[in-house]
C-alpha cells in the first residue's frame, strides 16, 4: 500500500473520496516494527499473500496482540507493493481496494451453523447471533485500537508518519473481512442459505456487506448479479468510507487508538443489527433448526 507524503501532520494530506478517483498512493518505507529480510519484489502484494494474511487475521480464536501487530504490518507491506503497481498503472485507490477485496473474499473463513454453535458453547438462534456480533465487535475494536496506536506513534514521530496510511489500509481490509464474515455467519444462524460455488457465495456476501443488507433467498439474481458494475461501485464506495473512518485515528498520543477501536466497534454493531433486521423471522422452527445442526 502506498503512503502519501504527509507534512506538518494534516497540511498536505490527500483527502479520500468515495469514488476512488485519486491514484493509489505509494509507500517506500518498510514497517520498522516488523522487519522482514525479503525484498519488495517478493512482497509484491500478490492476492495469495494478502488472502493468507487476512485469513489468519479473521479466523476463529484469539490472536496475541504482538502477533496481530506483526500480521497487520506484513499485510500493510503487501498492500503497499500492490499499491505502487496500481498507481503506476493509473488505477484509482477505490478500484484497487475493491479488486483486492474481491480477490481475497473467498478466503474469508465462514463457519456453518453446527460449527458456530460448537464454537459458541452450544448457543443457537438469537443468543448465538448476539454472541457473534459481540465477538465481531471485539475483533474490529482490537484491530482499530492496534492500527490507531501505531498511527498515533507515527503521528508523534514525523520521520515515520509516512507509514501511517499503509497501516490504515491494511486495517480497512481486515475490518471489512471481519464484517463480511459476521454477515455470512448471521445468514447461517437465521437459516438463510445462499446457494452457489464458494466464489459466488463470497461475492454475494461481499455485495451484501457493501449495501449493509441481508441477502434475499427468494431473489436468485442476488448471487448471479453480485459481481455487476453497480455492486463493484457500491463495494468501492463502502471500502472508501471505511478507510475514511480510519483516517480519524491519525491523532496524537493515544487518541488514535481510542478512536479507532470505538468507531470500529460501533460500526460493526450497527451492521450486525441491520443484518438481523433483514433476516429476523426467517429462522426455521426448532424441528427444522435441528436438521441444520446435523
Amino acid at each position: 500500500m502506498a503512503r502519501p507524503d504527509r507534512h506538518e501532520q494534516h497540511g498536505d494530506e490527500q483527502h479520500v473520496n468515495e469514488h476512488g478517483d485519486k491514484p493509489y498512493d505509494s509507500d517506500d518505507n518498510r514497517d520498522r516494527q516488523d522487519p522482514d529480510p525479503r525484498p519488495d519484489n517478493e512482497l509484491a502484494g500478490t492476492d495469495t499473500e494478502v488472502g493468507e494474511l487476512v485469513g489468519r487475521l479473521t479466523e476463529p480464536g484469539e490472536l496475541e496482540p504482538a502477533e496481530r501487530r506483526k500480521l497487520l504490518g506484513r499485510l500493510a507491506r503487501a498492500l503497499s507493493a500492490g499499491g505502487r503497481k496500481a498507481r503506476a498503472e493509473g488505477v484509482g485507490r477505490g478500484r484497487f481496494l475493491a479488486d483486492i477485496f474481491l480477490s481475497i473474499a473467498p478466503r474469508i473463513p465462514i463457519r456453518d451453523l453446527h460449527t458456530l454453535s460448537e464454537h459458541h458453547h452450544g448457543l443457537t438462534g438469537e443468543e448465538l447471533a448476539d454472541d457473534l456480533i459481540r465477538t465481531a465487535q471485539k475483533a474490529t475494536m482490537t484491530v482499530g485500537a492496534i492500527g490507531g496506536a501505531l498511527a498515533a506513534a507515527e503521528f508523534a514521530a514525523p520521520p515515520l508518519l509516512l507509514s501511517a496510511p499503509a497501516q490504515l489500509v491494511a486495517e480497512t481490509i481486515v475490518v471489512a473481512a471481519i464484517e463480511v464474515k459476521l454477515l455470512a455467519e448471521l445468514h447461517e444462524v437465521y437459516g438463510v442459505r445462499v446457494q452457489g460455488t464458494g466464489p459466488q457465495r463470497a461475492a454475494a456476501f461481499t455485495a451484501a456487506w457493501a449495501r449493509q443488507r441481508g441477502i434475499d433467498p427468494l431473489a436468485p439474481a442476488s448471487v448471479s448479479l453480485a459481481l455487476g458494475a453497480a455492486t463493484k461501485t457500491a463495494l468501492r464506495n463502502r471500502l472508501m468510507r471505511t478507510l475514511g473512518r480510519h483516517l480519524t485515528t491519525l491523532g496524537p498520543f493515544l487518541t488514535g487508538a481510542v478512536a479507532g477501536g470505538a468507531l470500529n466497534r460501533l460500526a460493526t454493531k450497527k451492521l450486525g443489527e441491520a443484518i438481523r433486521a433483514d433476516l429476523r423471522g426467517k429462522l426455521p422452527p426448532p424441528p427444522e433448526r435441528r436438521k441444520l445442526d446435523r
Side-chain angles (χ1 to χ4, degrees):
M1 149 75 201
R3 301 175 190 170
D5 191 2
R6 294 173 180 261
H7 299 294
E8 300 178 8
Q9 299 177 356
H10 297 293
D12 292 339
E13 179 176 327
Q14 293 187 9
H15 294 288
V16 175
N17 69 56
E18 287 187 354
H19 303 290
D21 294 327
K22 287 187 177 294
Y24 206 71
D25 302 317
S26 71
D27 173 12
D28 296 321
N29 292 336
R30 312 249 331 151
D31 187 323
R32 302 186 186 185
Q33 296 197 15
D34 180 25
D36 194 316
R38 294 178 293 168
D40 270 354
N41 62 359
E42 291 184 24
L43 291 171
T46 62
D47 294 349
T48 298
E49 181 176 19
V50 171
E52 288 175 354
L53 290 169
V54 172
R56 289 178 64 184
L57 284 160
T58 56
E59 63 188 9
E62 293 286 337
L63 276 176
E64 292 294 327
E67 178 67 11
R68 193 180 296 273
R69 281 193 296 270
K70 180 178 179 180
L71 292 173
L72 279 170
R74 288 179 57 194
L75 179 60
R77 290 201 304 274
L79 290 167
S80 173
R84 286 196 294 271
K85 180 178 179 182
R87 186 179 67 167
E89 296 174 352
V91 175
R93 187 201 305 260
R95 177 182 163 191
F96 173 78
L97 283 174
D99 288 347
I100 282 288
F101 197 81
L102 284 172
S103 72
I104 61 100
R107 302 183 69 97
I108 298 172
I110 308 299
R111 295 166 290 181
D112 60 24
L113 181 60
H114 180 74
T115 304
L116 284 169
S117 185
E118 282 189 339
H119 288 180
H120 290 264
H121 312 290
L123 295 177
T124 59
E126 297 291 346
E127 291 181 343
L128 178 55
D130 286 339
D131 214 35
L132 283 177
I133 294 174
R134 281 194 297 266
T135 300
Q137 283 184 266
K138 181 179 179 181
T140 59
M141 181 176 66
T142 300
V143 171
I146 291 174
L150 292 176
E154 290 162 353
F155 187 99
L160 298 181
L161 184 57
L162 293 173
S163 64
Q167 181 70 38
L168 298 184
V169 167
E171 178 186 340
T172 296
I173 292 291
V174 174
V175 166
I178 292 170
E179 291 186 347
V180 169
K181 177 183 173 70
L182 169 64
L183 181 148
E185 292 181 344
L186 285 175
H187 281 70
E188 284 289 320
V189 171
Y190 287 98
V192 179
R193 294 299 179 86
V194 177
Q195 303 301 318
T197 65
Q200 286 174 331
R201 296 176 74 246
F205 290 132
T206 299
W209 174 79
R211 296 186 171 91
Q212 306 282 281
R213 296 294 303 272
I215 296 173
D216 184 353
L218 301 180
S222 61
V223 174
S224 61
L225 297 180
L227 289 177
T231 293
K232 289 183 179 180
T233 297
L235 174 60
R236 183 175 71 234
N237 292 343
R238 177 62 56 187
L239 286 166
M240 291 301 288
R241 282 193 287 272
T242 303
L243 176 60
R245 182 175 81 230
H246 293 155
L247 286 174
T248 62
T249 64
L250 286 174
F253 308 109
L254 291 179
T255 58
V258 173
L263 289 174
N264 281 350
R265 179 177 60 81
L266 291 173
T268 300
K269 180 179 181 180
K270 181 179 178 181
L271 170 70
E273 294 304 327
I275 300 307
R276 292 177 81 169
D278 280 347
L279 302 179
R280 189 175 279 119
K282 297 176 182 176
L283 188 66
E288 294 299 318
R289 194 182 312 161
R290 283 196 291 271
K291 292 180 182 179
L292 294 176
D293 286 334
R294 293 176 184 173

